């Protein structure tokens, strides 16, 4: 519910953001990365864990497929080219 409220309050055209370091760690630990709610909050530009800039994905914050937000894996392909 929190992420849907966060996303619904975003400005039009806002893209989902991710931390490449978080995504790499999650891919290693869980098999895929996931979207972080804190990375989507207006004004947050850096990952609070890794202290690096967030990367804007190609995913519109309001984009849904079948009622669900698309997997981070599909849109964070640049990360996996580095693994």
């Amino acid at each position: 519910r929190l992420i849907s409220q966060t996303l619904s309050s975003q400005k039009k055209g806002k893209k989902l953001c991710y931390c490449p370091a978080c995504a790499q760690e999650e891919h290693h630990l869980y098999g895929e990365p996931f979207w972080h709610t804190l990375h989507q909050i207006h004004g947050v530009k850096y990952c609070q864990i890794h202290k690096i800039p967030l990367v804007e994905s190609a995913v519109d914050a309001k984009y849904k497929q079948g009622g669900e937000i698309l997997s981070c894996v599909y849109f964070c392909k640049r990360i996996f080219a580095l693994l």
Side-chain angles (χ1 to χ4, degrees):
R1 182 168 163 90
L2 178 59
I3 194 165
S4 64
Q5 290 174 341
T6 302
L7 296 177
S8 67
S9 67
Q10 297 296 330
K11 294 179 181 178
K12 186 175 183 178
K14 167 79 171 134
K15 305 294 184 191
L16 292 179
C17 296
Y18 66 94
C19 167
C22 285
Q24 284 182 342
E25 288 177 7
E26 292 157 6
H27 177 69
H28 176 73
L29 292 171
Y30 310 115
E32 68 177 298
F34 53 91
W35 301 111
H36 292 248
T37 304
L38 290 176
H39 294 165
Q40 312 316 318
I41 297 173
H42 179 72
V44 174
K45 302 291 184 195
Y46 289 84
C47 175
Q48 295 169 329
I49 297 168
H50 297 102
K51 311 296 186 221
I52 62 173
L54 298 175
V55 175
E56 189 174 79
S57 75
V59 183
D60 185 80
K62 295 190 182 256
Y63 181 83
K64 292 187 178 184
Q65 180 178 0
E68 297 295 325
I69 295 173
L70 293 174
S71 169
C72 187
V73 173
Y74 184 78
F75 292 97
C76 301
K77 290 181 181 179
R78 286 190 295 172
I79 298 165
F80 302 109
L82 303 173
L83 298 176

